Amino acid sequence: MCCPAYVFELNSFLLLLMVCAIQANCVDMSKKDKRTTRRWRTKSVSKDAKIQLQVPLSASMSPIRLHASNPNLYADVEFQNPPSHVTDALEFASDYTKLQEEFCLLAQKVHSLLKSAYNTIAIEKEKMKQMVSEQDYGIQNTQIARLRQSLSQALNHNSELRSRLNRIHSESVISDQVVSVNIIASPDEVSNEGRLSMSESVSEFFDAQEVLLSASSSENEASDDESYISDVSDNISEDNTSVADNVSRQILNGELLGGVFRTGRRTSLPAPSPDTSNINLWNILRNNIGKDLSKVSMPVELNEPLNTLQHLCEELEYSELLDKAAETDDPHERMALIAAFAVSGYAATYYRAGSKPFNPVLGETYECIREDKGFRFFSEQVSHHPPISACHCESKNFVFWQDVRWKNKFWGKSMEILPFGTVNVTLPKYGDCYVWNKVTTCIHNILSGRRWIEHYGEITIRNTKNSVSTCKMTFIKGNYWSSNVNEIHGVVMDQEGKVVHRLFGKWHDALYCGDAPAAKCIWRPGSMPTNYELYYGFTRFAIELNDLDPVMKEFLPKTDARFRPDQRLLEEGNVDAASAEKQRIEELQRTRRKYLEDNHIDYTPKYFRKVVDTHNKETWVSNDTYWELRKDPGFSKVELPTLW
């Protein structure tokens, strides 16, 4: 095995050629010797022919053999005293013959040895070929066995998922009715009991090749377009669309909803997004390059019918990840799920590069109660310049809060959104408190071409109560045509800095944990609704955020974003009226701000308070009054500012 087989073959071939050459030389020399001897004899005879010696052989003398190659050739005469030249010739012939015989004998021995060596090499070559063939066959058999095992596991899991989804669908009750109930309960009784979440009904963390944790809220609700349900068994990546069971619709909370539980949510917007092709952005932005665009009034057509406070709630679309983390004992797996939740908050922006949210006015609020997800959420605009939005969400499994401040910068062809502040999640069961930052967002091709959105930077997730696990997620900066656009990479590390889990994927597509190709999907976004391109690129969850049920009106504060007229008019497709209302509200906002400045009044948010964290940074947290005021005396009896 030291040398390749072809080296042995080449050496054998060369040795064979040498042997053949030696044998040919022996034969040639033998022939020459015969010819030389005959010529010598012929000349001798011809020379002495004239003498014609007739010397009788004596009985005591033997005939002289003149050449070893011809034993029958004897001299006819006997010299008593042969000539000197004849004696020399005979001695030369005798020595030459001996040398020739010895050389031929040696050549035969060498040939025999080389032939034996060649045969041995040929045998070894065949053995090596057989060994290599058997080794390759063994490796192939091992690989085939592993692939068959993986395929079998995948097929079994696929069959299990289909059976679960079919069972869920068979038990589903899809209805768009409003059911009145008379149940009185406290806000603390909002729970997930009886709710079959996607993360629980479809998968377990790390128990299959693809673990789907992507139950969009809207996908748990009724839909006018139910064609997607028939594709559940054929396309598992979109199976969340059919999750809506009868038990989850029995979770009623009369206190929070004023005795009314609404089972159906809208599945489409009232009107498509307006045409913006006639808007010359360059004329608007050319004098504001490098400036903070939050202070620049933009045409209402460039807005989407949601505001920033509602965007904060949209980050909870995949709150099932937090529910799953609250049930996972392994701290590193919990961290991986928290990282998946942090990434999922960016997924909804993928189709939203064409418009911007409304800027909330100072004191504006938003409330969202999701019985199907088991959480209640509220947010408030606590500062206008600089713009700061704060929110708070709670459920039996987690508490989520954040305050976000940002700056917009226009750079000619693109616009950057630079966020500040932190996101916080606590899991009461384990006493964990996770804190992380947000990355930079950039919208490309503002003035011309197809707009597209990009997120880049690094997210660091820390557990401030327990340093057992940390996580770093990197959003890779690329370009529209690069292969790594939207890619993310991350690691979950233990307290010694050793990598425990590797995370990778794309923030708009999926997140995987492990090493390819054996990595497992721990999150995937839900499917988009029909004709989403015509409706601002909204997800099913986003479509529901600005929906205002008539029964809810008496329980919401008048500062809630759903009462904002310019946003509501834009959603309904009345662009001209929305533009007029937007200008009126902005002017009213400027008047209020001037009044506060002239009277040296510091604005105090109603539902949040400012605190200083351990790093000497200011942050906004709930003052625990929102739900109390909602319950008693009710917002209709609370003094609130007029915002529009």
Side-chain angles (χ1 to χ4, degrees):
M1 295 187 182
C2 295
C3 299
Y6 66 84
V7 176
F8 290 118
E9 293 180 359
L10 181 60
N11 292 338
S12 302
F13 180 70
L14 293 175
L15 292 173
L16 186 59
L17 287 178
M18 290 173 61
V19 172
C20 293
I22 292 171
Q23 290 178 336
N25 190 27
C26 291
V27 173
D28 185 59
M29 292 178 65
S30 176
K31 290 181 179 179
K32 288 181 180 179
D33 181 69
K34 287 180 179 180
R35 287 197 296 270
T36 304
T37 305
R38 287 173 183 172
R39 284 198 298 271
W40 168 81
R41 181 177 180 276
T42 303
K43 288 181 181 179
S44 300
V45 172
S46 62
K47 232 177 171 183
D48 300 331
K50 296 178 180 180
I51 303 176
Q52 297 181 355
L53 295 176
Q54 298 292 333
V55 183
L57 296 174
S58 63
S60 61
M61 293 183 65
S62 299
I64 301 173
R65 190 177 65 174
L66 299 180
H67 202 284
S69 63
N70 190 352
N72 298 319
L73 182 61
Y74 297 93
D76 295 332
V77 296
E78 179 179 332
F79 295 95
Q80 297 295 329
N81 295 308
S84 61
H85 69 276
V86 173
T87 304
D88 295 341
L90 291 174
E91 291 177 356
F92 175 77
S94 177
D95 294 341
Y96 184 81
T97 300
K98 290 181 180 179
L99 181 63
Q100 185 177 8
E101 289 177 349
E102 291 176 357
F103 189 81
C104 289
L105 183 61
L106 180 62
Q108 289 176 357
K109 291 182 179 180
V110 171
H111 176 263
S112 177
L113 291 173
L114 291 176
K115 186 176 181 180
S116 175
Y118 176 78
N119 292 335
T120 302
I121 292 172
I123 294 172
E124 292 298 325
K125 175 184 174 182
E126 292 300 324
K127 289 182 179 180
M128 290 175 63
K129 284 184 177 180
Q130 185 176 1
M131 290 174 61
V132 172
S133 176
E134 290 177 355
Q135 185 177 7
D136 292 342
Y137 183 73
I139 294 174
Q140 291 178 0
N141 282 345
T142 303
Q143 292 177 344
I144 291 173
R146 290 178 180 175
L147 289 174
R148 286 179 176 175
Q149 183 179 4
S150 300
L151 179 60
S152 176
Q153 292 176 354
L155 291 175
N156 291 336
H157 185 64
N158 185 34
S159 176
E160 182 183 356
L161 289 178
R162 289 188 179 185
S163 63
R164 289 185 182 182
L165 291 171
N166 289 334
R167 187 185 74 251
I168 293 170
H169 176 55
S170 64
E171 296 175 356
S172 299
V173 177
I174 300 178
S175 173
D176 289 328
Q177 301 177 353
V178 176
V179 182
S180 297
V181 295
N182 295 315
I183 299 177
I184 299 178
S186 66
D188 296 334
E189 293 180 16
V190 178
S191 71
N192 293 336
E193 295 178 1
R195 174 171 62 90
L196 190 58
S197 69
M198 191 62 181
S199 60
E200 296 172 338
S201 63
V202 178
S203 61
E204 296 291 335
F205 184 64
F206 290 3
D207 69 342
Q209 188 68 20
E210 180 138 323
V211 182
L212 301 173
L213 298 171
S214 56
S216 171
S217 62
S218 55
E219 294 162 358
N220 295 336
E221 302 301 332
S223 174
D224 296 333
D225 180 12
E226 299 175 10
S227 60
Y228 58 82
I229 296 178
S230 62
D231 298 329
V232 168
S233 61
D234 299 325
N235 192 347
I236 298 180
S237 64
E238 297 183 0
D239 54 7
N240 357 10
T241 54
S242 66
V243 180
D245 58 58
N246 189 35
V247 176
S248 67
R249 298 188 182 279
Q250 304 301 320
I251 305 174
L252 308 176
N253 194 311
E255 181 80 20
L256 294 180
L257 297 180
V260 175
F261 176 66
R262 185 163 169 258
T263 59
R265 292 184 173 86
R266 68 180 184 181
T267 58
S268 63
L269 294 177
S273 55
D275 181 18
T276 60
S277 59
N278 59 342
I279 298 178
N280 192 334
L281 275 177
W282 176 244
N283 290 337
I284 301 172
L285 300 175
R286 62 182 175 180
N287 296 323
N288 298 288
I289 295 178
K291 295 182 179 180
D292 185 357
L293 291 184
S294 63
K295 300 180 181 180
V296 180
S297 180
M298 307 292 287
V300 74
E301 293 93 331
L302 299 178
N303 287 70
E304 62 184 24
L306 289 177
N307 71 7
T308 304
L309 299 177
Q310 292 165 315
H311 271 221
L312 297 181
C313 183
E314 196 171 0
E315 295 181 20
L316 288 159
E317 179 173 0
Y318 302 99
S319 63
E320 289 81 5
L321 291 164
L322 299 180
D323 293 329
K324 188 66 180 179
E327 300 168 358
T328 303
D329 293 332
D330 189 303
H332 305 304
E333 292 183 7
R334 283 204 304 273
M335 179 62 78
L337 287 167
I338 295 296
F341 174 76
V343 171
S344 71
Y346 294 92
T349 65
Y350 183 67
Y351 301 101
R352 307 270 275 278
S355 56
K356 61 179 288 292
F358 279 85
N359 294 327
V361 297
L362 187 63
E364 189 171 348
T365 62
Y366 176 71
E367 170 195 307
C368 181
I369 300 175
R370 296 301 299 248
E371 310 85 359
D372 56 330
K373 288 180 172 291
F375 71 71
R376 58 184 187 180
F377 169 96
F378 70 94
S379 56
E380 181 183 8
Q381 188 72 6
V382 296
S383 175
H384 189 64
H385 286 298
I388 302 176
S389 303
C391 69
H392 183 89
C393 177
E394 58 190 45
S395 78
K396 75 166 188 177
N397 293 324
F398 65 86
V399 179
F400 167 92
W401 75 95
Q402 67 171 315
D403 64 275
V404 180
R405 56 203 81 187
W406 60 91
K407 288 185 179 180
N408 299 331
K409 293 274 183 90
F410 174 59
W411 299 112
K413 293 184 179 180
S414 63
M415 182 177 69
E416 277 189 331
I417 302 173
L418 309 173
F420 303 92
T422 58
V423 185
N424 306 266
V425 169
T426 61
L427 302 179
K429 179 178 179 180
Y430 301 101
D432 292 341
C433 181
Y434 300 94
V435 179
W436 66 89
N437 60 293
K438 291 190 172 183
V439 296
T440 299
T441 298
C442 185
I443 302 175
H444 297 271
N445 298 335
I446 290 291
L447 300 178
S448 62
R450 182 179 179 181
R451 294 178 191 167
W452 60 283
I453 196 166
E454 180 183 23
H455 305 287
Y456 47 82
E458 184 176 271
I459 291 178
T460 301
I461 307 176
R462 296 176 293 104
N463 188 345
T464 59
K465 299 295 184 180
N466 187 343
S467 60
V468 172
S469 183
T470 59
C471 178
K472 287 187 178 181
M473 299 292 300
T474 301
F475 287 62
I476 298 175
K477 184 175 183 179
N479 55 66
Y480 186 77
W481 302 108
S482 67
S483 60
N484 63 344
V485 63
N486 300 341
E487 279 194 4
I488 50 177
H489 296 285
V491 291
V492 175
M493 300 173 290
D494 60 18
Q495 56 188 352
E496 297 178 354
K498 181 181 178 181
V499 175
V500 181
H501 295 302
R502 295 189 182 276
L503 306 173
F504 66 93
K506 296 192 174 185
W507 53 260
H508 75 289
D509 180 59
L511 184 67
Y512 299 87
C513 182
D515 295 320
K520 300 171 184 178
C521 182
I522 59 175
W523 166 78
R524 188 185 297 278
S527 61
M528 296 295 291
T530 305
N531 297 325
Y532 64 88
E533 304 96 334
L534 303 178
Y535 294 89
Y536 304 94
F538 279 8
T539 63
R540 301 176 190 274
F541 187 82
I543 288 174
E544 303 164 358
L545 291 176
N546 202 50
D547 188 13
L548 180 59
D549 182 78
V551 182
M552 293 285 294
K553 289 184 178 181
E554 61 178 292
F555 301 101
L556 296 174
K558 64 179 182 180
T559 56
D560 194 281
R562 279 166 286 192
F563 293 122
R564 183 166 175 166
D566 52 352
Q567 186 172 305
R568 180 65 60 187
L569 289 168
L570 177 63
E571 182 183 88
E572 295 171 352
N574 193 341
V575 177
D576 293 337
S579 180
E581 282 297 307
K582 182 174 181 291
Q583 293 179 9
R584 183 183 68 83
I585 293 172
E586 289 175 350
E587 182 60 32
L588 184 60
Q589 166 76 1
R590 285 190 285 268
T591 301
R592 290 178 57 235
R593 183 181 179 186
K594 188 175 185 304
Y595 172 79
L596 294 174
E597 291 177 351
D598 292 345
N599 292 276
H600 304 286
I601 300 175
D602 293 330
Y603 176 78
T604 302
K606 197 164 191 67
Y607 312 109
F608 288 86
R609 58 187 176 88
K610 184 190 298 184
V611 298
V612 178
D613 61 15
T614 56
H615 299 283
N616 202 28
K617 293 182 179 180
E618 292 183 351
T619 184
W620 292 86
V621 298
S622 171
N623 60 11
D624 300 325
T625 61
Y626 185 87
W627 301 113
E628 292 297 326
L629 291 174
R630 190 185 195 280
K631 177 182 177 181
D632 184 25
F635 289 120
S636 60
K637 300 178 181 179
V638 176
E639 183 179 356
L640 299 171
T642 301
L643 305 182
W644 35 72

